[in-house]
Amino acid sequence: MPEEEPLLYLLRRQKGYISGRTLAKETGISTNGVAKRIKILRQYGYYIESSPKMGYRLAGGTDLPLPWELVKVLDTLVIGKDKIIYRHSVESTQNLAISLAEEDPSIDGTVIIAEQQVSGRGRVNRKWLSPKGGIWLSVILRPPIPASNITILPFAAALAVCDSIKKTTPLNPKVRWPNDIMIEGKKVAGILIDISMGAGRFNYAVIGIGINVNIDSLAMSSNLERHIKVTSLSDELGHKMSILGLTKEILERLEYYHIQLKNSIPHTIIEQWKKNSDIILQKVEVIHNDWTIEGVVLDVNDDGSLLVRTDVCDNIKVVAGDVRVTY
Ligand code: BTN
């Protein structure tokens, strides 16, 4: 709970103007202190009107996924229940999550969210541009997910994002192997998973989710792999949408798939993933470092690998790379 919470509480309760003096009296803060804290609340996205004669009025809530706003609406038992950490700016939520998980072996379900990242990381060490207006978050998870299900985690995370976009917008996102989320063939979100293994079991996994929500995608074109086009939800919708609402959905959906993974049913998740994918039986190029395989996607195996038929080979099992549909 932020320091500002007593002020927020009073502003909410008042439903109209409340003087700086009354706020100071009821919170025990000086009037100067109240003015400073009002400024901080505004930085958090709260719309607070002020009038020299009447004081302050809360005219609108925030849409930032702030911990104290998220916990009010979040319906989960593990993810985000232990702790939600919010930063206006961070190097990378993923790196911060990894250092927290290394420091404290007891944390599980902790969520780290940033308004912007200055050194966001994508897969295979790509740079991930993360300006204000996106969802940039990382979740720390620990066993009891069986180690054998770990390769399915990226698929579960991609599905959670895909389901959440479907629930909160009229858009029709698709998952693209291994773990991109596409709209009309353009990438709107990506997943990065970092795993720490030890003695035959995994210590922790950090699921990183990046979504271009209310962002001008023209400014994001340098974000990604050269062969993939980029979009944002606001560009597809033609208007901005709620970041707080979408974040809640994603965390709840992630918890749903997390429970499935704990119960050891990768097949169900892969089947669900395939239903939401646009690559099965499509002609594709799979690009990895300096090689490219051209062929038709036959299937995705229960371990998450891709089965491709090429001109020279009936079945090639691919475990890494980026897929481009060639039609
Ligand atoms: C990809 O290459 O498609 C994966 C992109 C993952 C980006 C997210 S944003 C939150 C988290 N923090 C990072 O630095 N990266 C991930």
Side-chain angles (χ1 to χ4, degrees):
M1 196 159 292
E3 262 191 311
E4 301 73 36
E5 187 63 17
L7 278 190
L8 256 187
Y9 170 77
L10 293 171
L11 286 165
R12 279 205 178 106
R13 194 188 63 182
Q14 184 71 10
K15 295 195 173 73
Y17 275 95
I18 180 166
S19 73
R21 201 182 286 175
T22 311
L23 285 174
K25 201 172 142 206
E26 293 210 23
T27 55
I29 308 169
S30 67
T31 42
N32 261 350
V34 167
K36 274 190 199 148
R37 289 182 185 202
I38 293 283
K39 198 171 156 198
I40 294 172
L41 283 175
R42 285 179 176 145
Q43 283 163 359
Y44 276 125
Y46 296 96
Y47 185 47
I48 300 168
E49 289 178 343
S50 54
S51 138
K53 283 196 181 140
M54 293 185 289
Y56 301 99
R57 182 177 87 91
L58 183 64
T62 181
D63 185 43
L64 294 178
L66 302 168
W68 53 94
E69 298 292 348
L70 256 180
V71 291
K72 279 198 275 188
V73 290
L74 194 61
D75 186 12
T76 56
L77 290 175
V78 174
I79 294 178
K81 271 295 157 200
D82 164 35
K83 206 177 197 183
I84 300 172
I85 297 169
Y86 183 86
R87 297 274 189 278
H88 285 301
S89 181
V90 77
E91 280 198 0
S92 153
T93 56
Q94 199 75 357
N95 294 352
L96 180 55
I98 291 171
S99 44
L100 291 173
E102 290 285 341
E103 265 166 33
D104 182 353
S106 73
I107 52 175
D108 188 11
T110 296
V111 180
I112 295 104
I113 306 175
E115 192 177 7
Q116 62 180 344
Q117 301 183 113
V118 289
S119 309
R121 282 201 287 126
R123 285 196 309 115
V124 285
N125 280 330
R126 290 187 193 114
K127 190 175 159 191
W128 183 265
L129 287 184
S130 324
K132 288 181 185 180
I135 292 180
W136 324 120
L137 65 82
S138 300
V139 180
I140 301 167
L141 289 178
R142 295 198 183 262
I145 300 176
S148 55
N149 284 356
I150 283 298
T151 55
I152 308 303
L153 210 47
F155 296 84
L159 265 180
V161 173
C162 189
D163 291 353
S164 307
I165 295 174
K166 275 190 188 159
K167 184 157 177 203
T168 52
T169 74
L171 301 170
N172 186 22
K174 298 280 177 196
V175 287
R176 171 81 54 92
W177 194 88
N179 42 29
D180 292 340
I181 295 90
M182 317 290 288
I183 296 178
E184 307 286 344
K186 293 165 281 179
K187 181 160 170 170
V188 73
I191 311 286
L192 175 69
I193 311 267
D194 287 294
I195 289 165
S196 157
M197 295 294 292
R201 57 175 244 147
F202 88 103
N203 298 322
Y204 63 82
V206 176
I207 303 175
I209 296 177
I211 310 176
N212 302 333
V213 187
N214 299 326
I215 287 176
D216 177 359
S217 51
L218 282 179
M220 303 294 283
S221 46
S222 66
N223 208 6
L224 298 159
E225 311 90 283
R226 266 166 296 140
H227 53 277
I228 292 184
K229 289 189 186 139
V230 184
T231 191
S232 71
L233 294 175
S234 59
D235 279 358
E236 295 300 317
L237 289 166
H239 57 79
K240 292 189 175 182
M241 65 173 291
S242 167
I243 289 185
L244 178 62
L246 183 56
T247 307
K248 164 193 151 63
E249 283 302 326
I250 288 168
L251 297 180
E252 287 176 1
R253 217 49 204 155
L254 209 50
E255 172 133 320
Y256 167 82
Y257 287 113
H258 177 231
I259 293 167
Q260 289 207 357
L261 280 176
K262 275 200 306 198
N263 296 337
S264 203
I265 35 177
H267 180 71
T268 321
I269 291 182
I270 292 294
E271 283 307 308
Q272 186 67 12
W273 188 94
K274 284 195 271 189
K275 278 190 199 144
N276 283 277
S277 170
D278 61 353
I279 59 163
I280 306 295
L281 298 180
Q282 292 293 327
K283 276 183 80 178
V284 296
E285 282 177 354
V286 189
I287 303 156
H288 185 56
N289 296 334
D290 47 4
W291 57 255
T292 301
I293 296 174
E294 285 179 43
V296 173
V297 175
L298 298 179
D299 207 355
V300 175
N301 297 313
D302 281 355
D303 62 2
S305 59
L306 198 66
L307 211 56
V308 180
R309 187 183 63 221
T310 68
D311 287 345
V312 287
C313 189
D314 269 356
N315 278 324
I316 298 184
K317 187 174 162 176
V318 185
V319 294
D322 292 305
V323 166
R324 191 166 76 93
V325 177
T326 51
Y327 302 103

